[in-house]
Amino acid sequence: DPYVDRSGLEKDNPFGHVIMNLPEQLPSFGMRHLAHEMGHAMFNLADEYVGQQLGFDGRPDLSTWPSCAEDRAEAEAWWGDLVGEVDPMVDVWMDEMDDAGFSMGADAREFFAEQVRVGFVEGGCYGVPGSIRATEDSLMNNSIPVMGLVNRRWAESILDLWEPRPRA
C-alpha cells in the first residue's frame, strides 16, 4: 500500500505519529519538544503555530478544540469565561528559573504572563484568516513552557477521569 510506511502508519497524516530526536548535547531543547508532543499525545491539543509551517498552512476546518476557533462567536462559547485570566504556571516556571540561577529579569514575568493571558487572538492556529486562538503564545505554539488556561482546563478535565491509586 503506497499510503502506509514500513511502520504501518498512514503517510498522508502528518500528525499520525512522531519520531523525536532528544539530543544529548542540548537536552533542554529536546525536552521542550517532548512536552509539546506530549500535549498532543495525552490531551489531543492542537498546534497553535502562527503562519506557514513546513508547507502546511491551515486546516480545511478552522476549528480545533479547545484553543483554535473558527470565529469569534465559537471562541466566546469555548473560552469566553476565561478571558483576561493567566495560567498560574507562569509564576511557577519563573520561580524555578530564578531558583536555578537563570533569572530573566524583572520585566520577564509580566511579559510571559501577557503571552498566555486568555483572549481572542486573531489568526488562530496556523494563522488562518478569520480564525481565533486563545493566547499569543503557549506550549503548543512556540517556546513558552506554559499550556495556557484553555489548554490547561481541558488537560485537567482529562486527568480528572481517573481516580488516584490508593497509597500503600
Side-chain angles (χ1 to χ4, degrees), residues 69-126:
E70 184 167 357
D71 54 33
R72 175 81 181 234
E74 188 172 66
E76 287 176 1
W78 287 2
W79 66 77
D81 61 317
L82 295 176
V83 169
E85 300 293 321
V86 174
D87 188 332
M89 283 306 293
V90 169
D91 288 327
V92 173
W93 171 52
M94 296 299 293
D95 290 347
E96 288 294 323
M97 293 298 284
D98 289 345
D99 290 349
F102 298 108
S103 180
M104 290 182 246
D107 297 331
R109 190 174 301 261
E110 185 57 32
F111 172 80
F112 287 114
E114 285 304 312
Q115 295 298 296
V116 295
R117 186 175 306 281
V118 178
F120 302 112
V121 181
E122 292 189 25
C125 301
Y126 288 97

Side-chain angles (χ1 to χ4, degrees), residues 18-37:
V18 173
I19 297 172
M20 286 185 49
N21 176 25
L22 296 177
E24 188 176 317
Q25 299 85 355
L26 300 168
S28 62
F29 181 76
M31 294 311 292
R32 179 176 61 84
H33 290 291
L34 179 61
H36 173 96
E37 296 304 332

Side-chain angles (χ1 to χ4, degrees), residues 9 23 25 36 41 46 49 55 70 80 98 101-102 135 142 158 161-162:
L9 299 171
Q25 299 85 355
H36 173 96
Y49 306 132
E70 184 167 357
D98 289 345
F102 298 108
T135 61
N142 193 17
I158 299 296
L161 295 172
W162 285 273

Side-chain angles (χ1 to χ4, degrees), residues 33-83:
H33 290 291
L34 179 61
H36 173 96
E37 296 304 332
M38 292 298 287
H40 293 308
M42 293 176 63
F43 308 115
N44 198 33
L45 297 177
D47 281 322
E48 297 174 0
Y49 306 132
V50 179
Q52 189 170 13
Q53 297 286 321
L54 303 174
F56 182 74
D57 198 17
R59 302 166 54 104
D61 63 330
L62 303 181
S63 299
T64 308
W65 173 264
S67 61
C68 303
E70 184 167 357
D71 54 33
R72 175 81 181 234
E74 188 172 66
E76 287 176 1
W78 287 2
W79 66 77
D81 61 317
L82 295 176
V83 169

